[in-house]
Amino acid sequence: KKDGSSSSFNDTLNRTTNSAEYDPETAGMSPEELKILGNKAFENGDFRKAVRYYSKAINKDSANAALYSNRSAAYLQASKQMGMDTRSMALRDAEKTIELNPKWFKGYSRKGDTLFKMDKFDDAIEAYETGLRYDEGNPSLIHSIGEARNANGGIASRDKKDTPWAVEQKTSVDYKKAFANRSAHELV
């Protein structure tokens, strides 16, 4: 801040994602090698460490949409480990993924996943449907649309009954659990 004070949010963010700090273990690594380490940390459930590796990779290759996509997924899972709500950071990285590669479905999938976790189901459906324009028939996106509709009472604000991915309302779906289990399988 201009007055010299700092917020705990910014302090925590800087401590957990500062890719400029020297780390002899990763100093000479390529962005791809750092991404692989990030993917391993993610798969092991160490989302905070995954965020750090992806951040270091982004520092070396800031035009790589896959790095932002993976960091978005890690942020979405990292809230408890980082001690703060990281959904806004996940959304920021999803939007950066879209900016860097607007025809890649993955950015829209990440954006939809984040909006879903923010309980913005109509917006999530819209993001998933946009992703389907670039990867028609993608089963993960189709499934995500169904989850978002179920979470939203089985409907969306727009009538989509004539679309091939329309789903029936399910009354006993544990959509948040199903959503959380899906995220780990979609790193790039």
Side-chain angles (χ1 to χ4, degrees), residues 1-178:
K1 293 183 177 179
K2 291 180 181 179
D3 64 4
S5 66
S6 63
S7 71
S8 62
F9 175 82
N10 286 332
D11 290 345
T12 303
L13 177 61
N14 289 335
R15 278 195 313 274
T16 58
T17 64
N18 187 355
S19 58
E21 67 187 51
Y22 180 74
D23 178 357
E25 177 190 344
T26 61
M29 291 185 163
S30 71
E32 185 62 27
E33 291 169 320
L34 290 164
K35 181 178 92 167
I36 290 168
L37 288 176
N39 290 353
K40 286 180 183 175
F42 189 101
E43 290 165 7
N44 290 329
D46 193 344
F47 307 115
R48 184 179 181 155
K49 188 180 237 181
V51 165
R52 274 187 260 159
Y53 283 130
Y54 297 137
S55 295
K56 289 174 187 233
I58 288 167
N59 193 48
K60 293 181 178 202
D61 184 4
S62 62
N64 186 328
L67 297 174
Y68 286 98
S69 173
N70 287 3
R71 191 171 72 174
S72 175
Y75 271 135
L76 201 53
Q77 301 295 327
S79 288
K80 288 182 183 176
Q81 292 175 7
M82 294 176 81
M84 60 190 201
D85 185 352
T86 56
R87 294 176 297 180
S88 64
M89 291 173 272
L91 184 59
R92 177 200 64 210
D93 279 357
E95 290 173 342
K96 184 67 174 181
T97 302
I98 293 167
E99 176 188 322
L100 291 171
N101 192 348
K103 293 185 179 183
W104 186 35
F105 80 94
K106 188 63 77 175
Y108 301 98
S109 178
R110 296 284 187 236
K111 183 175 182 178
D113 292 349
T114 303
L115 293 166
F116 184 98
K117 280 212 167 180
M118 293 173 151
D119 295 331
K120 296 180 178 182
F121 303 118
D122 283 342
D123 293 336
I125 291 167
E126 185 177 328
Y128 294 136
E129 288 175 346
T130 302
L132 277 175
R133 289 186 208 150
Y134 302 107
D135 191 9
E136 192 174 318
N138 181 298
S140 180
L141 290 170
I142 292 167
H143 182 75
S144 296
I145 290 168
E147 288 177 346
R149 285 211 178 122
N150 287 333
N152 202 28
I155 58 168
S157 63
R158 298 161 305 279
D159 182 16
K160 299 290 182 183
K161 292 179 184 174
D162 59 341
T163 60
W165 52 85
V167 295
E168 295 178 17
Q169 179 177 355
K170 297 178 185 173
T171 56
S172 63
V173 65
D174 185 353
Y175 62 89
K176 290 200 178 192
K177 183 177 179 184

